[in-house]
Amino acid sequence: MSLGSLTSTFHRDTYPAISPSNDYLSQAGKTVLITGGGGGIGFEIARSFAKAKAPRIIIMGRRSSVLDVAAAKLREEFRNSTTEFITHQGDISDDSSVTSLWDSLHSRNIFVHVLVLNAASFSPSGPDTFKMDKRELMKAFDVNVGGNFSMSVKFVSQPLRPVGQQLNLVNVSTAVIQTYRLPNQNPYSTSKAAFTALLGRIAGEHPVEDVQIISFHPGVLYSESASAYFDKNAIKWDEMALPADYAVWAASPEASWLHGRFVWAHWDVDELKADKNILKRLEEEKGFLKVAIQGLPEISLDEYFTNN
């Protein structure tokens, strides 16, 4: 078992249980929206959902040129499938941009079944947080908390949503990025942790039958942002296929028992589900596998109410 793993098997690449070719992970009949979908992990997630037979995949990003290139590659790779790829240029930290996206989808009679929150802001960075400009610092929170929240609200409030239709929300979160000792990532990791914690709370308010919410750490990936800090040969990077396929698994009924929890793509899903101790803790501990204060047991306020 690797350090930080709940399972004896620690995956660095995709594996059969999370393969989008599995019938039980089929996304047939579903429209998928991926933020930050033009490159890196977002692009690979789009590929995995296409392999899982999603008939429509929407990739959103800030740079239209990047989206156009990504869409062209996807259409070429899946030219023999029926999957439709749609691009939308937008900024999730801008409320008007978010509203424009969802209004556009509604006007085109497009209902989104799966939302993958992958867009993120990695700035600012520096060894001394006190010396950061407040406006720059808040940009990280505007994207990683505010933008993701706005997208989630619009997602669950779609006018075209049929009564009783379950939704799937997948949050790609490197909330514990300090584990990998990436330099000067305080606002990024803190803001990602904040939103992941918020989703854990929301999951307690909405049953899995309403909206299934899964947050997961994608691993150590050589992306455009990582290349700004590391040489490609400096680290043993995980394969992009691991988190990409994991996102499909997380958006399926196979992951329903992890509703509201934060897990790692590295962990073997079959071993995780077969571990009776883990299942027991999920049942008994509301804070297990959720972002919280380390070192404290679950705290109840029941003793403060006078009717107890």
Side-chain angles (χ1 to χ4, degrees), residues 62-232:
R62 294 181 295 106
R63 298 173 291 177
S64 57
S65 59
V66 173
L67 293 173
D68 290 342
V69 171
K73 290 180 179 178
L74 290 167
R75 289 165 184 152
E76 173 62 23
E77 180 178 357
F78 297 97
R79 61 186 180 279
N80 294 324
S81 76
T82 58
T83 300
E84 176 187 12
F85 296 98
I86 299 174
T87 64
H88 186 94
Q89 189 277 328
D91 182 352
I92 67 169
S93 68
D94 183 334
D95 288 346
S96 62
S97 183
V98 171
T99 298
S100 175
L101 163 68
W102 291 98
D103 285 350
S104 174
L105 294 176
H106 179 65
S107 69
R108 299 169 66 179
N109 202 38
I110 294 176
F111 170 68
V112 177
H113 302 79
V114 179
L115 174 63
V116 181
L117 297 171
N118 175 65
S121 172
F122 294 88
S123 297
S125 62
D128 190 341
T129 306
F130 275 141
K131 293 182 180 179
M132 292 179 182
D133 182 86
K134 176 187 174 182
R135 291 168 296 183
E136 292 298 316
L137 183 145
M138 292 309 298
K139 284 182 181 179
F141 285 85
D142 287 340
V143 174
N144 300 336
V145 181
N148 282 326
F149 178 71
S150 295
M151 288 292 294
S152 301
V153 171
K154 291 289 188 180
F155 174 53
V156 301
S157 305
Q158 294 177 83
L160 295 175
R161 182 181 182 183
V163 176
Q165 174 67 57
Q166 185 199 43
L167 301 175
N168 290 89
L169 191 157
V170 178
N171 175 40
V172 183
S173 177
T174 47
V176 289
I177 201 166
Q178 297 97 327
T179 301
Y180 297 122
R181 301 178 184 177
L182 292 182
N184 311 328
Q185 287 294 311
N186 296 332
Y188 169 74
S189 57
T190 304
S191 56
K192 293 293 284 186
F195 183 68
T196 301
L198 181 62
L199 282 182
R201 175 181 176 85
I202 292 172
E205 302 167 344
H206 293 263
V208 68
E209 293 80 13
D210 178 29
V211 52
Q212 177 173 305
I213 300 173
I214 306 293
S215 295
F216 77 92
H217 193 297
V220 187
L221 307 168
Y222 190 73
S223 61
E224 182 180 347
S225 57
S227 66
Y229 297 100
F230 295 100
D231 181 87
K232 190 173 184 179

Side-chain angles (χ1 to χ4, degrees), residues 35-48:
T35 65
I41 183 176
F43 176 78
E44 295 299 328
I45 289 173
R47 292 183 68 239
S48 291

